[in-house]
Amino acid sequence: MAADIKVPTLGESVTTATIARWMKQAGEAVAADEPVVELETDKVTVEVNAPEAGVLTEIVAPEGAEVEVGALLGRIDVGATATGQQATPAPVAAAGVHAPQAAPGPVARPGAAPLPAAAKLIEENKIPAGAIQGTAKDGRVSKGDVLEFLNKPAAAPAAPAPKAARVPDVREERVRMTRLRKTIAARLKDAQNTAAMLTTFNEVDMSAIIGLRTEYKDAFEKKHKGIRLGFNGFFVKAVCAALQEFPAVNAEIDGEDIVYKHFVHMGIAVGGASGLVVPVIRDADQKSIAQIEAEIAGFAKRAKEGTLKLEELSGGTFSITNGGVYGSLMSTPIINPPQSAILGMHKIQERPVAINGQVVIRPMMYLAVSYDHRIIDGREAVSFLVRVKETLEDPRRLLLEI
C-alpha cells in the first residue's frame, strides 16, 4: 500500500512553499511521523513528516521546486523495508508542483551548490560561478536569487578612459536579506502606504502593577508551576478589556466592509533568530494572566529556536509590541495588517510627576497606539488608550470589570 506525502496547510494567506531539502532519499526507510522533507515559506521553515512507516519510493517534487498546498511531494511504500528497494530514477511533476529539471551548474560558494531550478537558469544564462550570493538554506542559490540577479539593470558601457573603481572598504560586510526579512519589510511598508496611520500617546504610572507583581510574584510562580509573573499579562488583559468597550480598534477593513471581531486574538511581537515575529494568543480575552504568561514564554523560546509554527503567526486581531525591553523610551509602532491598531509599550523610567499638588517620583511608562484613521476615529483611539492607562494604574478594575 502506498501513502502520499503532501504539502500541509501552510497558514493564513500562505499558498506556496519551496522545497528546501529532502532529509530522506528514495529507497530509504522512514518511520511514522519522521521528518522527511523541509519546506520554506515567507514566514517560517516547515518540516513535513512521514504519514506512515515504510520506504520512500518516489520523490515527486525535487529540491528547489515551488509547491502549492495539497501538492504531492512523494510516496511511501507502507510497511516495506529498505532492503531491495529501488529509487525512482527521475521525479515526475504532479498537480500543484512547479518542479524544475535538475541540471549541473556552477557553485555559488564553496560547499553550497545551487538549488536545481537555480542551476538550470545559471547554465542557460552563462552566469559565472560565484557571481550570485545565495539566500537559501546553507547559503545555496535559489531560483529567486538568480531572477533577481538577472533583473538588475545592466551596467553602463565603460568610458574610453575609465576611472579607477572604488576599492571596497574591508570593514564593510554585504549580506543579502533573508526571505523573512524581505517579507517583514514589504508588509510594514505596505501598511504605511495603505493605512491612514496616526499615533496617539499617553503615559501610565506603573506603581500599582509593580507593587502587585512584587507582592505576589513568588506565590504566583509557585502556584502556577514555574510560570513567572511579568508585565505582559497585565497589558494583555487591560487591552482586552478596552477592546470590548471600543470594538472598532479590534476591527479590520475588508474591501468596502468593516469586519468587527467579537473575540481577541492578541499578537505579541517577539524577537526571533531571523527577525521580529508576531505569534498570536488565541482568544486572549478568555484566558487568565497565568495562561497568557505561559503562552508568551513559549513563544519567546520557540522564536529563538526558530520552531514557531505557521498557525501561531496568523489570525491576530490586535498586536502589542514592547520596545522597552531594548531601552526604547518612546516610538510610533507600525500596524500589522490587516489589523487596524497596535499598542507600543516602552521603558519604565522614574520621573517626577505632579500628584495632588505634590511633585513625587514615580515609575512611568509612555504608551503609544498607532491606528488606521480610516476605521478608527481619534476620539475612539484616545479613549481606548486612556482606558488601558486607567486599568493598569488601578488593576482592581480587571476584577470588577469596570
Side-chain angles (χ1 to χ4, degrees):
M1 182 180 69
D4 293 340
I5 305 171
K6 294 186 176 181
V7 179
T9 300
L10 299 171
E12 184 178 327
S13 76
V14 181
T15 58
T16 62
T18 301
I19 306 292
R21 66 187 178 105
W22 279 90
M23 304 176 205
K24 292 287 186 176
Q25 299 302 316
E28 292 184 353
V30 296
D33 293 326
E34 180 182 7
V36 292
V37 61
E38 185 177 80
L39 308 179
E40 285 187 348
T41 74
D42 290 338
K43 293 183 177 179
V44 292
T45 299
V46 180
E47 290 182 349
V48 181
N49 298 337
E52 302 281 352
V55 171
L56 179 62
T57 56
E58 182 179 5
I59 292 177
V60 175
E63 292 183 358
E66 184 178 345
V67 291
E68 299 173 354
V69 173
L72 181 65
L73 298 175
R75 291 189 176 89
I76 295 174
D77 185 357
V78 179
T81 61
T83 304
Q85 294 294 330
Q86 299 295 321
T88 303
V92 179
V97 179
H98 309 288
Q101 297 298 318
V107 177
R109 294 192 308 195
L115 293 170
K120 183 179 180 182
L121 284 175
I122 289 172
E123 183 181 39
E124 290 174 350
N125 291 278
K126 296 181 172 54
I127 300 172
I132 305 174
Q133 183 174 359
T135 62
K137 192 174 183 68
D138 299 325
R140 300 180 71 180
V141 176
S142 68
K143 180 180 179 181
D145 295 331
V146 181
L147 293 175
E148 184 175 347
F149 177 85
L150 293 173
N151 288 331
K152 286 181 179 179
K163 296 181 180 179
R166 182 181 73 88
V167 178
D169 193 322
V170 295
R171 295 168 295 179
E172 295 179 351
E173 180 183 7
R174 186 180 296 271
V175 179
R176 190 177 297 274
M177 293 172 68
T178 63
R179 188 172 181 179
L180 174 60
R181 175 55 61 185
K182 289 180 181 178
T183 302
I184 292 172
R187 285 175 61 84
L188 295 180
K189 188 59 183 173
D190 182 61
Q192 287 185 318
N193 294 338
T194 303
M197 196 154 57
L198 190 64
T199 303
T200 185
F201 300 91
N202 212 315
E203 60 180 355
V204 56
D205 183 346
M206 294 291 290
S207 299
I209 295 294
I210 291 174
L212 190 63
R213 180 174 178 266
T214 300
E215 183 175 357
Y216 290 106
K217 64 179 182 180
D218 292 337
F220 183 92
E221 188 170 348
K222 182 178 180 181
K223 168 72 174 178
H224 298 289
K225 300 179 181 179
I227 298 173
R228 293 186 177 182
L229 179 60
F231 295 120
N232 284 320
F234 292 107
F235 272 83
V236 170
K237 294 298 290 184
V239 167
C240 287
L243 289 175
Q244 290 179 348
E245 189 172 350
F246 303 98
V249 184
N250 194 47
E252 69 178 59
I253 294 177
D254 183 13
E256 297 183 356
D257 297 330
I258 297 176
V259 182
Y260 291 94
K261 310 295 180 70
H262 300 298
F263 56 89
V264 179
H265 289 347
M266 187 69 69
I268 301 292
V270 295
S274 302
L276 190 72
V277 291
V278 189
V280 177
I281 302 173
R282 309 285 170 179
D283 297 309
D285 53 321
Q286 304 297 320
K287 294 181 177 176
S288 67
I289 288 180
Q291 290 173 312
I292 291 168
E293 291 286 2
E295 287 200 39
I296 292 173
F299 288 154
K301 181 176 182 294
R302 294 195 295 281
K304 291 179 180 178
E305 296 170 349
T307 57
L308 282 169
K309 298 179 180 178
L310 278 169
E311 56 266 27
E312 295 178 307
L313 298 170
S314 60
T317 63
F318 186 93
S319 292
I320 295 177
T321 182
N322 186 2
V325 297
Y326 305 109
S328 172
L329 187 62
M330 184 179 289
S331 68
T332 55
I334 300 178
I335 298 169
N336 183 26
Q339 298 168 27
S340 297
I342 182 172
L343 175 73
M345 300 167 56
H346 299 92
K347 178 183 178 182
I348 300 173
Q349 182 166 290
E350 290 190 341
R351 294 197 300 273
V353 294
I355 298 179
N356 298 325
Q358 300 292 323
V359 177
V360 296
I361 304 298
R362 292 294 177 87
M364 305 297 293
M365 176 193 287
Y366 288 117
L367 299 180
V369 166
S370 293
Y371 59 99
D372 189 343
H373 214 343
R374 296 177 301 166
I375 183 174
I376 304 169
D377 294 332
R379 178 190 61 82
E380 290 177 302
V382 172
S383 299
F384 165 82
L385 190 55
V386 168
R387 184 64 71 242
V388 172
K389 164 189 168 69
E390 291 174 344
T391 304
L392 293 170
E393 291 184 339
D394 186 2
R396 293 174 297 180
R397 287 175 172 268
L398 291 173
L399 294 176
L400 299 175
E401 297 183 350
I402 59 174

